[in-house]
Amino acid sequence: MIEGWDDGETILNSIVNKVGSIKGKQLPTMILCKKLNESICIISEESSQFTVTVFNSYHDDRNIFVRVPINHNSVKVLDDNGNIVQNQVLETFKTSQLNGNNKFEVIFEIKFKGIGFITYFIQYNNNKIKKISKNNNEKNLLENDNFKITFDDNGYIQNITNKQLNITFPFNITYSYYIGCGKNDFQPSGAYIFSPINSTTVSFNMTINTTTLIGPFVNETRQQISPWVSHSIRLYKNVPYIEIQWTVGPIPKEKFDPIGKELIIRYTTTLQNNGQFITDSNGRQSMSRKTNYAPDYTYKNTDPITANYYPITNKVSINDDKYLFSVLVDRAQGVGGLKDGELEIMLHRRAFHDDYLGVEEPLDELGEDGKGLIARGIHRIYIGDKNLLTTKIRDDSISFFKEPIIMFSKINNITINEYKDNFITNYKFLEPSLPKGINILSIESLNDISSEWLFRLEQIYEGDEMGVKSQPITVDFDKIFSPFKIERIIETDIQGIEEKNDTNKKNMLKNNKIYMKKGKKLYMNKLENEVSVLPMEIRTFKIYLKN
């Protein structure tokens, strides 16, 4: 993975040097801060002036909130034109797990349109500014224009109010862990199997240490749940979700006869979902799941926990007749829906015995300090009207998957004006006009002069998801590749090798009887460079552009 990061740095530096140098000069070397999610970056720590270059691979308009670790409580943030923009400085969350990070973070907003990159500048100020205030007077409340979150006196969430609907949902977030089976049990828990010793979890019965911060871009409540569990609950400006950044680990290891622990986060609502929940299938189709049920055989409830766990790549949802609760995740995880209104997601595991399934070693990685691994990740929570959120969550799951890549470079020996005179600070490779529901899966140059491209499109909506019916979506290639002139378009198989003919296309349509009568005209209009993409369909094209 580290080698992949290094290769990524090399490729991105090469791209920016190729398209971003105005006078042929070499751009300052950019680096990926590998511990950015720990609020650690060597460039922002050591430099009084540096660039933040954001690479965006998502085609649609979006606002990005960038968080940069710094060691100064007063900074200026300048946009790609050198104009000062608003920023929010807040102290870094010093947890008992991660306390070697930078002292502060600066947050600013970038409005992005199109596929490309944009460079902002950060300068340290000598002037002192007021730090972000602590909202001590409202310790039981966190809110913005979209949500109001109420906490009880012990620090646990009581309810969430969706202000757009003016509806309050009883809600709770808790952390606990399953004790894994050991070497003397029938099946030890390990790298290949989750095998809890019983169906109950161990809770953290500790006083929660809570701090709330407010500001122009984000209002944030930080909580230390236990010595090895903490999280931040964030409400960003004008976003339709609640963000949870969780930090778990190192999972403690007893000196003698250590006990395996499998830590979960449990979301509890009052939605009556009748044991049903919906997971994604490798980030695309929705899969309907039901507690204690198997569609293909007679279910026997011999493993009440593990038999009700399923993999998710980007999302899981429960709903009743009117409302929906969904969690978007930033990595593949396991999820269980064991009780009505509940979802539990596995965050971290540590097992001390081999599970006899092939690895021949325990799941016991020690990490840098020998104490065990620390995991940090993000969940995005949606709760509200089912019909309004179904397609919204589909759209946002793609945007979340295509989170921007952020790189940094030192510019201590050059002024910002000199940088702008010599280098491009805002570059759009494509600024496509695409209808909602269409995603650019990949785009790849097939020759050195960039006149031939392999291009994959998909429709992210399903035919009938939660009562929301999807239709074919027409895509105009001229709008995608504007201002280029398209010479010709050839549709191929998904690998980009074999050209499709009319027979191939008709065979692909034979299971879509609704659209069969419209046939070729619906599927590809060669004169107007338009194509129609069916629900859940992926189509691959070679695009030839005129030089």
Side-chain angles (χ1 to χ4, degrees):
M1 182 176 175
I2 295 298
E3 291 178 357
W5 281 49
D6 293 339
D7 290 343
E9 275 187 0
T10 302
I11 292 169
L12 290 174
N13 273 286
S14 174
I15 291 171
V16 175
N17 270 299
K18 185 174 182 179
V19 302
S21 180
I22 298 173
K23 299 179 180 179
K25 291 187 177 182
Q26 183 82 9
L27 272 89
T29 301
M30 299 182 298
I31 69 163
L32 291 165
C33 289
K34 298 179 177 65
K35 292 188 176 182
L36 194 60
N37 72 330
E38 297 179 35
S39 298
I40 297 174
C41 181
I42 190 68
I43 283 185
S44 64
E45 182 178 345
E46 295 180 348
S47 304
S48 59
Q49 179 174 271
F50 55 94
T51 67
V52 180
T53 300
V54 181
F55 294 84
N56 180 49
S57 62
Y58 186 60
H59 65 271
D60 208 354
D61 297 357
R62 67 167 169 182
N63 292 0
I64 300 167
F65 291 98
V66 179
R67 299 177 75 111
V68 177
I70 54 176
N71 269 340
H72 202 287
N73 69 346
S74 178
V75 295
K76 283 195 300 186
V77 179
L78 297 91
D79 65 14
D80 53 303
N81 293 314
N83 301 315
I84 295 176
V85 297
Q86 186 180 23
N87 68 77
Q88 176 181 346
V89 175
L90 61 163
E91 293 179 350
T92 303
F93 187 12
K94 297 288 185 181
T95 71
S96 60
Q97 307 130 287
L98 299 172
N99 51 25
N101 40 21
N102 290 31
K103 295 179 181 178
F104 304 97
E105 287 180 296
V106 59
I107 303 173
F108 54 95
E109 184 179 20
I110 296 179
K111 296 182 179 180
F112 227 120
K113 184 176 183 180
I115 299 171
F117 66 84
I118 190 168
T119 298
Y120 273 46
F121 306 90
I122 293 181
Q123 294 177 326
Y124 284 179
N125 273 336
N126 292 324
N127 301 326
K128 295 288 184 180
I129 63 169
K130 185 179 179 181
K131 296 179 186 177
I132 194 73
S133 59
K134 295 183 179 180
N135 187 13
N136 293 322
N137 295 328
E138 294 287 352
K139 66 177 183 178
N140 292 342
L141 189 65
L142 179 69
E143 67 178 321
N144 66 358
D145 291 340
N146 292 320
F147 297 100
K148 181 170 73 173
I149 303 174
T150 304
F151 300 83
D152 64 21
D153 291 336
N154 295 318
Y156 293 97
I157 294 178
Q158 280 185 317
N159 53 62
I160 295 174
T161 299
N162 184 318
K163 291 186 175 182
Q164 307 304 314
L165 301 177
N166 195 26
I167 295 175
T168 297
F169 299 92
F171 195 86
N172 188 237
I173 298 176
T174 56
Y175 296 83
S176 57
Y177 61 88
Y178 291 97
I179 295 176
C181 288
K183 61 182 179 181
N184 297 323
D185 298 303
F186 173 72
Q187 175 59 68
S189 199
Y192 283 126
I193 191 167
F194 165 40
S195 180
I197 200 166
N198 55 47
S199 60
T200 59
T201 58
V202 179
S203 301
F204 299 100
N205 297 317
M206 303 178 67
T207 301
I208 297 178
N209 184 11
T210 299
T211 302
T212 298
L213 309 175
I214 57 173
F217 292 129
V218 63
N219 297 335
E220 181 171 325
T221 292
R222 299 166 171 179
Q223 296 184 315
Q224 186 81 49
I225 313 296
S226 84
W228 52 284
V229 178
S230 59
H231 68 199
S232 294
I233 304 170
R234 296 169 178 159
L235 297 179
Y236 282 100
K237 182 183 72 173
N238 297 328
V239 298
Y241 56 79
I242 301 164
E243 182 173 286
I244 309 291
Q245 184 185 57
W246 47 266
T247 306
V248 294
I251 295 175
K253 180 179 182 179
E254 294 78 11
K255 188 173 182 180
F256 300 104
D257 297 324
I259 299 170
K261 303 170 186 67
E262 331 238 5
L263 186 116
I264 63 164
I265 183 171
R266 181 176 288 130
Y267 298 101
T268 303
T269 74
T270 55
L271 298 183
Q272 298 299 308
N273 56 307
N274 298 319
Q276 294 184 323
F277 56 107
I278 297 172
T279 68
D280 68 274
S281 175
N282 203 26
R284 299 200 77 238
Q285 292 99 327
S286 294
M287 302 290 290
S288 180
R289 313 293 190 180
K290 189 172 183 179
T291 306
N292 296 331
Y293 172 77
D296 301 321
Y297 58 90
T298 302
Y299 177 82
K300 294 182 180 180
N301 194 18
T302 55
D303 294 300
I305 305 300
T306 56
N308 289 301
Y309 258 72
Y310 296 91
I312 53 173
T313 305
N314 61 17
K315 62 181 179 293
V316 60
S317 302
I318 58 174
N319 65 276
D320 59 18
D321 292 338
K322 292 181 64 177
Y323 302 113
L324 177 142
F325 165 65
S326 185
V327 182
L328 299 189
V329 298
D330 64 348
R331 68 200 67 194
Q333 294 180 313
V335 64
L338 306 178
K339 295 180 181 179
D340 256 18
E342 283 189 2
L343 290 173
E344 62 179 55
I345 299 175
M346 184 74 69
L347 301 182
H348 198 3
R349 306 174 63 226
R350 193 175 186 183
F352 303 107
H353 306 286
D354 179 40
D355 56 14
Y356 311 128
L357 294 174
V359 177
E360 296 185 356
E361 63 181 40
L363 185 65
D364 184 20
E365 298 176 81
L366 299 180
E368 291 182 341
D369 59 2
K371 296 179 180 179
L373 295 182
I374 299 173
R376 171 173 275 184
I378 287 176
H379 289 172
R380 289 181 177 173
I381 295 172
Y382 295 74
I383 189 164
D385 184 273
K386 180 180 72 172
N387 294 327
L388 296 177
L389 285 180
T390 298
T391 54
K392 176 63 178 172
I393 289 169
R394 280 274 182 183
D395 295 332
D396 285 6
S397 67
I398 300 297
S399 174
F400 193 22
F401 177 76
K402 293 187 175 183
E403 279 288 275
I405 298 172
I406 302 174
M407 297 185 74
F408 303 84
S409 63
K410 297 180 182 179
I411 53 168
N412 290 336
N413 298 322
I414 184 175
T415 67
I416 291 175
N417 284 333
E418 288 173 336
Y419 188 100
K420 294 196 293 98
D421 289 341
N422 286 280
F423 309 116
I424 292 173
T425 56
N426 191 335
Y427 180 81
K428 298 292 187 298
F429 167 65
L430 280 180
E431 199 169 328
S433 176
L434 283 175
K436 285 288 186 183
I438 294 295
N439 176 46
I440 298 175
L441 265 182
S442 64
I443 181 166
E444 177 184 355
S445 177
L446 297 178
N447 60 18
D448 293 336
I449 59 174
S450 299
S451 63
E452 182 181 342
W453 296 87
L454 188 65
F455 192 72
R456 294 184 181 91
L457 289 173
E458 68 168 340
Q459 186 184 154
I460 63 174
Y461 300 147
E462 290 197 55
D464 188 355
E465 185 177 11
M466 296 189 194
V468 179
K469 296 185 181 297
S470 301
Q471 300 293 328
I473 299 176
T474 300
V475 179
D476 187 343
F477 280 111
D478 288 326
K479 292 182 178 179
I480 295 176
F481 286 93
S482 174
F484 303 103
K485 186 70 174 177
I486 296 175
E487 187 174 84
R488 61 191 172 115
I489 300 173
I490 296 175
E491 184 168 12
T492 71
D493 61 9
I494 197 167
Q495 299 177 81
I497 298 174
E498 182 181 354
E499 181 179 348
K500 287 186 177 177
N501 54 39
D502 290 342
T503 302
N504 296 139
K505 295 171 187 176
K506 289 177 181 177
N507 287 338
M508 290 177 65
L509 284 170
K510 67 183 179 181
N511 293 322
N512 295 279
K513 296 179 181 178
I514 297 174
Y515 314 121
M516 270 296 291
K517 292 182 181 179
K518 298 181 181 179
K520 181 179 174 182
K521 184 177 180 182
L522 171 75
Y523 209 67
M524 180 84 181
N525 187 336
K526 293 185 178 180
L527 295 177
E528 298 179 3
N529 289 334
E530 290 183 351
V531 297
S532 286
V533 186
L534 305 177
M536 283 283 102
E537 184 182 29
I538 298 174
R539 297 185 68 179
T540 305
F541 302 90
K542 285 184 178 178
I543 312 292
Y544 296 85
L545 304 177
K546 290 184 178 180
N547 293 328

